Amino acid sequence: MTLSMDKIQETLSLIFNDSALILIVGISIVILLVIVLVVVVSTMRVRGYKNRFLSVELDNQIKAEHILHIEKELEKYKIKNASNEQELQQFEETKNRLNSSNESFLALQSRFYELEKELSQIDAKLEAVENIYATLQEKHKQLEKRHNEVVEASSKYRITNARLLTKLEMYERSS
């Protein structure tokens, strides 16, 4: 060890005695410091980029989880939207059926009112005809009674005529 220490001391004294060597050693030290500075700055940048990369990667994971959550919600909303659209379509069909039923009801109601009006007219005619029928029945009974009376009277007159004829014939025979 002493041998190598001695050589180092000799080399140092040789360098310090020669000004060109001092300048070369100074430039070498400056270049070494610049290289060390570049390495340190590069290392710091690499560490910064690494930290930023890890931060961005973590942020991307969080965003990916959030996107998955949003996609699941979107699927739920799509399903709900499809269900709502189906209900809306059924509602439209029901609405159309209701409108059709309303139109049918209004037509039937109109027809009902027409028929009711016609029925009231027919009822009035029927009542008039029934009154006429009752009057005619009354007249029929009166005429039937009179007919019976006339038939009786006619029958009495026939009998009387027959008797008179018989008497007349007897009178003629006797005369």
Side-chain angles (χ1 to χ4, degrees), residues 14-99:
L14 182 67
I15 291 174
F16 282 121
N17 288 337
D18 192 3
S19 66
L21 284 176
I22 289 177
L23 181 63
I24 291 175
V25 169
I27 291 175
S28 299
I29 290 174
V30 167
I31 290 176
L32 183 67
L33 285 175
V34 167
I35 291 173
V36 169
L37 181 64
V38 168
V39 169
V40 168
V41 167
S42 296
T43 306
M44 288 176 65
R45 278 191 173 173
V46 167
R47 188 178 304 148
Y49 288 142
K50 181 182 175 185
N51 288 341
R52 198 177 296 165
F53 174 75
L54 291 175
S55 173
V56 167
E57 189 176 20
L58 180 64
D59 192 36
N60 284 345
Q61 280 181 334
I62 290 171
K63 287 179 181 178
E65 289 174 3
H66 187 65
I67 288 171
L68 285 176
H69 177 70
I70 289 174
E71 285 176 347
K72 286 179 183 176
E73 285 185 11
L74 179 64
E75 285 299 317
K76 287 179 187 176
Y77 284 125
K78 283 183 180 178
I79 292 170
K80 189 173 182 181
N81 186 33
S83 171
N84 287 344
E85 284 180 359
Q86 187 178 13
E87 287 179 13
L88 184 62
Q89 185 180 10
Q90 289 175 349
F91 175 74
E92 285 296 324
E93 291 172 0
T94 304
K95 183 178 160 186
N96 290 339
R97 278 197 317 254
L98 179 62
N99 286 338

Side-chain angles (χ1 to χ4, degrees), residues 102-119:
N102 270 348
E103 290 172 3
S104 298
F105 173 73
L106 291 175
L108 285 174
Q109 193 175 26
S110 172
R111 181 71 178 140
F112 171 76
Y113 288 139
E114 289 173 10
L115 290 175
E116 191 174 39
K117 184 178 176 183
E118 189 178 326
L119 177 66

